[in-house]
Structure formats: C-alpha cells, structure tokens
C-alpha cells in the first residue's frame, strides 16, 4: 500500500462520510478475489450508490493520480481485484437497482452491483430469466468486465452476446452510453464490446442493458458416467457436431466426483461424468434427450439419470456448482487455484487428455471440469499458499496447459479473464495486437489509474 494524499482523503470523507473507509478488515476483504493470488490491499474503499457517485470518485482520483480498482461481488479468480499499486477500491455492491424491464423486447437495464441470482429471482414471476451462469453469484458488472460465460454458454452465448449497452465512467470522470436497445446497429465503433472483457482497465461499468429470455416450457437435466475421459469427451463432441441444442453440457472428471461426494454428501458413481440440461417445448426436449441418450450408449456411458422437477435438477447440478469449493476443501487452509483454457471443440479430447497426463502422480489435490460444449475446460488445484515449491509446480502445469491450448488455436482463458494471472501469455496469444491494446489503453487512460497491472504487461 501507499499513503493516499491527505487532500483526497478529506475530499472522500466529505463526499461519502462513512461510505469511505480505511478500516483494515475492509481493506483485506477488497484486496483479493476467490483464488490463490497474493492479496494486495487498497489504501481505501469507497462504497458507491450511483453512476454519479462513481464519476465523483474517479474524477477525484484522476486529479490526484490515484489508482481505481472496481469491485463487485469479489468472486474473480485471476487477481483482478488486487490493488498492485495501492489506491481506491471502488465497491459497486450497493448499486443493486433493477432500473427497467421490457417484457415485450426481452431486455432490462440494471445497476452493475446486481448479482445474477438477484436478477433471476426478480425476473422469475415475469416468466423471464438471464441465462449466463458462471457458477458463482457474481455481479453483473463483474461479469461484463471479465466477459463471463459459464454453464449455459453452449446455447445462450457469453456476456459478449448478451450485453446490448453499457453506461461507463471513463478514467477522466466523464459518463458515456455505449449503445441503445436495438438488437443490432451499424452506427460507429462497437464500444460496448470494447468494454466487455476490459476488466475495469478502461473505465467503470455502472449500468448494463441485457438480453433476456423466456423461461423454457420444459426443462430436463441428466447425469451420466463413463469408464474413461476419452469416451466422455467423444460424446460431448458428437453432441456439438450433430447440432443438438443442449442448454448445458458439463464435464466432471472422477477426481472432482470424489471431491463433491465428500463435500456435498452425494453418492455419484466415481467415473468421468457428463451433466446435461435441455430447454424447450416438450416434444423438442424429448427428441433431444433421445438423441443424446443414444450417443451416450454408443460411447459406453451408463447410469443415465434424468430429472425434471426443480428439486431433482438442483440435486443433479449440485455437484457442478460446488466444484471449486469441493476441491479446495480437501486440504485444511488451502486456497483454490483455478485455471481455464478454451480450444476448438475438435481439439478438446486431446487437450483434456494432455492435462490428465500432466496431473498423473501430482501430489496436490486437483480436478478437471469444464463447459465442454464450447471447448472450455478448467483445472482446480487446492494449493498451500505458503509453499513456494508447490505454487511453482502448479504454475508449471498451468503453463503447459496454456501452451497446449495456444498450439491448437485456442486461448489462454475462456472466461476467467487475464487479470494478473494470465498476463504472461497475452503476447504469445495475440502477438503485435497487444501493442494496439496498449495504444487503446493509453488513449482512454493516459494517467494509468484504471485497475493498473491487469491484462497488459506494462499497464
């Protein structure tokens, strides 16, 4: 940490009173995310309640050249929230208003601090839902900033496809709107997509206009196990290549199944497992289910378990949603290290098997899981944060995973984002395009105050 200018401290106290704090416990909470990355604490925290208040904070920080780190629900995994150069953590968790909904147009506008679970609870009685589900109860603003996706992406896409417009506070304190509510536009640069995935390095997202969807007429979930990883992944690839419109298709290796059985009190078969969910009219869902069941059988799968009621579906999905914490719980005082890559679906089997080989005999608890419908998979490690040797060994495996993904045309991160954790691979993935990213960063944030040390090596 570095000391805040006393003039800035006085200005923030005058403007925000008790919503500006330097309390040690609050600083500790705001200096890390959910993963293994070493905490780097901010010098102060401001809890904002409106776009104008965010603009006031950013304007004051710009005047004093003090960094600003946007903070939502604190669930990020690649060090996005660490205050590597000190500064102000700008907490948007109090910005929880649902500002507008149009049932006719299937869209809504929300403040950035609204979480996905809050939004879907509010939408349920209107027969609508927002499908992007990264697992954690993340804030919508955070999901925009990391270009989140998750379990439903195979059918509904990612945040990139489901954000129509943003309200953004720029690094100089100006407020802009990046677009309207039309489903397409040819007017000017696509600024909305510029800020989706920018991880708070170009500005602070304060309001988000989202696409919504009707709650499906019929929903069925299913779980099945396989004697080998190859058989499970081959089944997933066949589902994609045949164009079966599954809503979710998740892979969990047998190590993860063992962890979630212990963590959640389940008794799932200790084999490599696929979980499916199907949405649509009754007849269409029955047809999809029959096609997938036949593919599972052809590839040696067994124990197909179906669920149609919400309670039964929740039970089947419990394993997947508790995956991160289930793995971490295997060791006392462990921290989670979760890495993700994404590859073309045709390369998925080879990459997952390559990762499986890397983990053979590795003493650190680890599991492979993923959104295999779009080629995105993860490895979760339960690491001892005090062991430099162990952290180095996990980093070496992470490096080999990323290099394998890049070698087949994939990406170093499918949904977690770059943060501080994947900076080392950006140049390898994007080459000279990284220089253009740096030009954009400098043009919008010449003082370098917006979430410094994230995405770009020198930002």
């Amino acid at each position: 940490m570095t000391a805040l200018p006393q003039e800035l401290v006085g200005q923030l106290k005058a403007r925000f009173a008790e919503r500006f704090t330097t309390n040690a416990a609050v600083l500790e909470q705001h200096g890390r995310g959910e993963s293994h990355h070493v905490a780097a604490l901010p010098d102060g925290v401001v809890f904002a309640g409106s776009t104008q208040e965010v603009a006031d904070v950013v304007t004051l920080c710009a005047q004093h050249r003090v960094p600003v780190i946007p903070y939502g629900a604190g669930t990020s995994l690649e060090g996005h929230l660490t205050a590597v150069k000190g500064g102000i953590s700008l907490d948007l968790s109090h910005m929880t208003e649902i500002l507008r909904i149009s049932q006719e147009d299937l869209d809504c506008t929300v403040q950035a601090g609204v979480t996905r679970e809050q939004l879907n609870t509010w939408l349920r009685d209107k027969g609508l839902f927002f499908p992007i589900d990264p697992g954690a109860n993340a804030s919508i603003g955070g999901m925009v900033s990391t270009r989140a996706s998750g379990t439903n992406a195979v059918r509904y896409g990612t945040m990139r496809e489901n954000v129509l417009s943003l309200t953004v506070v720029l690094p100089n304190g100006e407020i802009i709107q990046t677009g309207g509510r039309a489903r397409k536009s040819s007017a000017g640069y696509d600024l909305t997509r510029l800020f989706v995935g920018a991880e708070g390095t170009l500005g602070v997202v304060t309001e988000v206009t989202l696409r919504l969807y009707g709650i499906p007429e019929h929903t069925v979930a299913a779980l099945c196990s396989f004697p080998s990883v190859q058989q499970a992944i081959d089944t997933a690839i066949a589902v994609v290549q045949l164009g079966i419109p599954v809503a979710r298709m998740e892979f969990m290796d047998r190590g993860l199944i063992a962890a979630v059985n212990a963590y959640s009190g389940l008794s799932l078969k200790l084999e490599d497992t696929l979980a499916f969910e199907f949405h649509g009219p009754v007849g269409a869902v029955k047809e999809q289910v029959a096609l997938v069941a036949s593919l599972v059988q052809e590839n040696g799968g067994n124990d197909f378990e179906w669920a149609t009621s919400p309670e039964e579906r929740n039970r089947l999905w419990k394993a997947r949603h508790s995956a991160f914490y289930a793995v971490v719980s295997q060791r006392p005082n462990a921290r989670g290290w979760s890495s993700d890559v994404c590859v073309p679906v045709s390369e998925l089997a080879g990459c997952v098997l390559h990762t499986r080989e890397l983990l053979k005999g590795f003493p650190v608890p680890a599991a492979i899981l993923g959104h295999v419908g779009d080629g995105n998979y993860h490895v979760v490690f339960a690491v001892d944060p005090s062991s430099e040797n162990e952290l180095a060994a996990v980093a070496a495996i992470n490096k080999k995973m990323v290099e394998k993904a890049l070698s087949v045309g994939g990406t170093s991160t499918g949904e977690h984002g770059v943060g501080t954790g994947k900076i080392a691979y950006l140049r390898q993935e994007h080459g000279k395009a990284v220089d253009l990213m740096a030009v954009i960063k400098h043009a919008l944030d010449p003082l370098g105050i917006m979430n410094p040390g994230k995405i770009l090596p020198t930002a």
Side-chain angles (χ1 to χ4, degrees), residues 325-378:
Y325 302 104
V327 175
V328 176
S329 71
Q330 294 178 97
R331 296 179 75 182
N333 303 315
R335 296 285 296 181
W337 180 324
S338 181
S339 181
D340 85 305
V341 296
C342 190
V343 299
V345 172
S346 62
E347 301 287 350
L348 182 61
C351 288
V352 171
L353 289 170
H354 172 262
T355 300
R356 192 70 171 270
E357 287 297 313
L358 293 175
L359 296 178
K360 275 188 177 178
F362 194 59
V364 175
I368 303 173
L369 61 152
H371 320 304
V372 289
D374 54 17
N376 186 197
Y377 74 97
H378 313 250

Side-chain angles (χ1 to χ4, degrees), residues 34 74-75 77 135-137 256 259-260 263 321-330 380:
E34 289 278 8
T75 58
L77 295 171
N137 187 25
L256 177 58
V260 298
Y263 183 77
H321 280 86
S322 64
F324 180 85
Y325 302 104
V327 175
V328 176
S329 71
Q330 294 178 97
V380 179

Side-chain angles (χ1 to χ4, degrees), residues 41-52:
L41 308 190
D43 301 299
V45 176
V46 175
F47 294 87
S50 68
T51 295
Q52 187 56 57

